Amino acid sequence: MTDQAGLERAYRRLLAWYPREFRRENEQEILAVLMADAPDGQRRPGLAQSADLIRSGLWMRLRPSVPRSARTVRAAVRLMYAGAAVSTVNLILLLALIADIEIYHAIPGHHLTAAQVSQVSTLFITICTLWDLVPIAVWLWMAQTCGRGRNWARIVSTVLFGAATLNLTSAFNWLPPGNHLTLVPMFYGPTLPVLYWLAGLAVVWLLWRPASSAFFRPPGYTQAQHQAQTAEFDHQAQMAELARLRARLPRQV
Amino acid sequence: MILTALADGAQHGYGIITDVRDISGGQVRLRAGTLYMALDRLRADELITVDREEIVDGRLRRYYRLTPAGTKLLADEAARLQAHASVALRRLNLAGGMAT
């Protein structure tokens, strides 16, 4: 195997960090740039180049590319990432605070031994961690799929918001004062869950705006049709920008 | 810097890397991963667009160019930096004049 062929294979392996759709469109082009940028005689990717490709690939996987003209979808996707960030902070705070929670206070009428408390604590921490990972994963998944114009994701987001609404109202109805054993973030009073719910409401509202509906594709849409639609969005945005610039000209003269 | 590299006309990926290196006097060395992450963002923001594609030595070469929005953003940013630089130079000259 020649140096060039080996280097190209190594670069292809690194490009596997990128999303499949992005690779399909850009892999050959990036490979050409990487090979052109490689010094003569280089046999394998350098450490900095590898780290750069892995970092960029991961970032591209996390960041959906919504055209600037689809403003409402962009805002909804940003809110979803904010939701994921809040959920992550909530999980960190929960784990930090959980050590201070005396579990047996959460189970009225039960007097547990120290060993039982330890056992229940471990179980409690595990359940809480897993439960808190669910909204983080859901927020990120919905942000990704909605950002790619999947219409089913918009419907699933709305259904999940309905479920979250039921979960929130249930938590408020069932919780006796002072009871901390709950699966919604109630450790800091009702403010956080209400803000959380409002963020969900805003996401659903944004996703179903008429401007968003133009971005979402009906079932059966092909990749080529989506690219054509995105190009149309680009064209419309450019035309709007041109019209705006033209409108400013007479005032400047 | 990528927008500046495209201000002269359409460029392909490797051309942008070498141009950015020249513009910055060798200070900025763009890597391919960073470049294509930035190009993807600039395309999503409709500041650049694909001008044409060519096959050179069996490899795909895609040329990018500024959109009207990209041109306007670059012009606005350049004017803003020029205004800041002018103020800084004027004040430095004033300070020099007072010191002498």
Side-chain angles (χ1 to χ4, degrees), chain A residues 183-196:
Chain A
L183 297 177
V184 293
M186 298 288 284
F187 291 96
Y188 334 103
T191 314
L192 188 62
V194 168
L195 282 177
Y196 214 64

Side-chain angles (χ1 to χ4, degrees), chain B residues 11-85:
Chain B
Q11 292 239 46
H12 55 81
Y14 187 61
I16 296 172
I17 289 179
T18 51
D19 207 13
V20 165
R21 201 179 298 164
D22 292 345
I23 293 167
S24 67
Q27 297 277 307
V28 178
R29 192 179 184 283
L30 265 182
R31 294 190 189 283
T34 307
L35 170 70
Y36 279 91
M37 193 165 63
L39 289 177
D40 186 66
R41 185 173 54 79
L42 292 169
R43 279 176 75 180
D45 288 346
E46 291 139 11
L47 298 172
I48 63 166
T49 190
V50 174
D51 186 71
R52 65 185 190 278
E53 291 179 355
E54 290 175 359
I55 303 291
V56 179
D57 298 332
R59 294 193 185 278
L60 175 69
R61 187 175 275 186
R62 194 173 277 150
Y63 286 77
Y64 299 90
R65 65 175 159 81
L66 294 177
T67 63
T71 307
K72 184 181 176 301
L73 182 83
L74 181 63
D76 288 351
E77 190 63 15
R80 192 182 64 80
L81 289 171
Q82 193 175 35
H84 282 188

Side-chain angles (χ1 to χ4, degrees), chain A residues 89-112:
Chain A
V89 171
N90 183 62
L91 175 61
I92 293 164
L93 287 175
L94 178 75
L95 291 174
L97 291 172
I98 216 159
D100 297 333
I101 298 170
E102 296 179 25
I103 297 298
Y104 54 86
H105 283 167
I107 310 169
H110 285 75
H111 300 285
L112 306 176

